[in-house]
């Protein structure tokens, strides 16, 4: 199954829902960054969230950045996504080995630790919008649900998961976000929340469903089957980095003339993209040409 995101509404527009399958995206990220299993689980959860949250943005030029800065051994995670199903990211420390938690599962919460979740929306204004909340668990899904409630006042249920195979590759990954839109009648809102909470509590883990060949559509159907569920859009998704030699050259120029002169004197310079690890080599002669351009 190829990775994709679905966007849906239910209850006459009172609910909006997003779901994705992201196995290939997370496996590509694991391969690029050579992440340990617990790092893959944490990274994959945030990548899946980025895909769905990016799809909420209106323009193809809009960018969403999710950043976790924690005091756990992972250090931090950064994910960037757009509305077209493209996502990329990196971890501060991709190789973390820690014991399983009390349930025998990968201990994502301990790997992340305590810290801050930042959600940065760049929609072409002078300054991007930045929302920040404390991490409430380090499990990422719960942290994002808390962010929506505290920072955007949107009641939300967020489920994210990454299931590792025996060879430490990604077997299944994905998630869903269900949000309640503003409703004038408080009783009606309470009834919807009560029903959804009961159904979500009974739902199997999202990776269990995806690994048994359930689709994102199936998962939303299980939760919203009698609420006039409407699938509005399906977006192909994947790990995609837009780095290039020209962009890297601009980054070199931005460091300033003195630092660039020092690099040119040291010889050839190799730069690596944080997101995809692609390497760009600039020969000393090229750096001198850049300098001669009058920066």
């Amino acid at each position: 199954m190829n990775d994709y995101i679905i966007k849906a509404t239910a209850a006459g527009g009172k609910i909006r829902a997003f779901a994705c399958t992201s196995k290939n995206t997370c496996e590509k990220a694991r391969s690029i960054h050579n992440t340990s299993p617990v790092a893959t689980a944490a990274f994959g959860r945030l990548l899946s969230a980025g895909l769905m949250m990016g799809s909420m943005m209106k323009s193809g030029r809009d960018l969403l950045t999710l950043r976790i800065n924690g005091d756990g051994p992972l250090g931090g995670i950064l994910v960037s996504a757009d509305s077209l199903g493209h996502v990329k990211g990196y971890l501060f420390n991709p190789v973390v080995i820690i014991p399983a938690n009390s349930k025998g599962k990968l201990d994502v919460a301990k790997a992340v630790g305590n810290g801050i979740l930042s959600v940065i929306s760049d929609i072409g204004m002078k300054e991007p919008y930045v929302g920040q909340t404390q991490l409430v668990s380090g499990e990422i899904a719960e942290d994002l649900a808390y962010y929506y409630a505290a920072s955007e006042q949107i009641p939300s249920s967020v489920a994210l998961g990454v299931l590792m195979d025996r060879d430490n590759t990604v077997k299944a990954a994905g998630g869903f976000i269900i949000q309640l839109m503003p409703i004038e009648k408080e009783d009606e809102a309470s009834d919807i929340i009560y029903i959804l909470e009961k159904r979500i509590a009974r739902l199997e883990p999202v990776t269990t469903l995806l690994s048994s060949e359930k689709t994102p559509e199936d998962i939303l159907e299980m939760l919203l089957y009698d609420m006039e569920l409407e699938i509005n859009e399906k977006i192909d998704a994947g790990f995609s980095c837009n780095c290039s030699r020209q962009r890297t050259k601009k980054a070199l120029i931005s460091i300033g003339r003195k630092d660039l002169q020092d690099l040119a004197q040291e010889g050839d310079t190799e730069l690596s993209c944080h997101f995809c690890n692609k390497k760009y080599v600039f020969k000393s002669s090229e750096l001198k040409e850049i300098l001669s351009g009058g920066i």
Side-chain angles (χ1 to χ4, degrees):
M1 183 190 301
N2 292 329
D3 291 355
Y4 65 92
I5 313 150
I6 56 168
K7 302 168 67 174
T9 55
K14 298 180 179 70
I15 295 171
R16 69 173 184 173
F18 307 82
C20 74
T21 177
S22 55
K23 170 187 172 181
N24 300 327
T25 300
C26 296
E27 173 57 23
K28 184 172 181 180
R30 182 205 65 79
S31 177
I32 288 171
H33 294 283
N34 193 29
T35 49
S36 63
V38 71
T40 303
F43 193 22
R45 291 180 191 183
L46 201 62
L47 287 167
S48 299
L51 285 172
M52 292 184 286
M53 293 173 69
S55 75
M56 300 177 191
M57 306 189 82
K58 295 180 179 180
S59 168
R61 295 186 297 274
D62 296 345
L63 291 175
L64 174 86
T65 299
L66 301 175
R67 186 175 66 222
I68 288 176
N69 291 95
D71 61 7
L74 281 176
I77 314 170
L78 186 142
V79 162
S80 177
D82 61 20
S83 64
L84 304 176
H86 305 131
V87 70
K88 60 184 179 180
Y90 63 88
L91 305 94
F92 296 4
N93 182 10
V95 183
V96 171
I97 307 296
I98 58 175
N101 62 23
S102 60
K103 297 179 181 178
K105 305 289 187 180
L106 294 170
D107 200 342
V108 170
K110 186 173 182 180
V112 170
N114 300 309
I116 299 293
L117 167 67
S118 302
V119 179
I120 305 161
S121 301
D122 187 348
I123 56 174
M125 307 294 284
K126 284 187 176 180
E127 297 291 335
Y129 168 77
V130 181
Q132 288 188 332
T133 54
Q134 293 282 337
L135 296 172
V136 294
S137 72
E139 294 284 357
I140 300 178
E142 294 172 9
D143 301 307
L144 286 165
Y146 177 74
Y147 163 80
Y148 276 120
S151 185
E152 299 192 12
Q153 290 75 55
I154 302 175
S156 305
S157 176
V158 183
L160 303 166
V162 177
L163 179 65
M164 303 301 294
D165 217 333
R166 292 183 178 181
D167 61 355
N168 287 334
T169 60
V170 177
K171 184 176 182 180
F176 64 78
I177 299 174
I178 296 178
Q179 299 183 319
L180 187 64
M181 297 294 95
I183 299 175
E184 290 185 8
K185 297 179 180 179
E186 188 174 330
D187 289 347
E188 184 180 6
S190 297
D191 289 344
I192 292 175
I193 290 172
Y194 176 74
I195 292 169
L196 288 175
E197 284 180 343
K198 286 183 65 177
R199 292 179 183 177
I200 290 168
R202 293 196 302 262
L203 194 71
E204 291 183 281
V206 67
T207 49
T208 300
L209 296 171
L210 291 169
S211 62
S212 63
E213 300 187 356
K214 296 295 185 184
T215 65
E217 292 91 337
D218 293 333
I219 294 172
L220 291 189
E221 182 68 26
M222 291 176 186
L223 297 170
L224 304 167
Y225 59 89
D226 59 350
M227 295 186 181
E228 302 172 4
L229 175 64
E230 293 185 16
I231 306 298
N232 301 316
E233 190 174 359
K234 179 178 177 179
I235 305 169
D236 291 335
F239 192 102
S240 176
C241 184
N242 59 348
C243 72
S244 66
R245 187 173 183 82
Q246 186 60 29
R247 283 174 177 266
T248 309
K249 182 178 178 180
K250 288 181 180 178
L252 269 174
I253 293 172
S254 71
I255 69 173
R257 187 175 185 86
K258 183 180 183 305
D259 288 337
L260 199 54
Q261 285 175 331
D262 291 342
L263 287 176
Q265 291 173 359
E266 291 173 6
D268 298 347
T269 297
E270 181 180 275
L271 299 180
S272 179
C273 174
H274 282 306
F275 293 103
C276 68
N277 282 342
K278 186 173 181 179
K279 299 184 187 306
Y280 296 92
V281 176
F282 290 83
K283 295 186 178 299
S284 177
S285 57
E286 291 179 87
L287 299 179
K288 290 174 181 176
E289 285 180 14
I290 295 173
L291 284 165
S292 67
I295 66 166

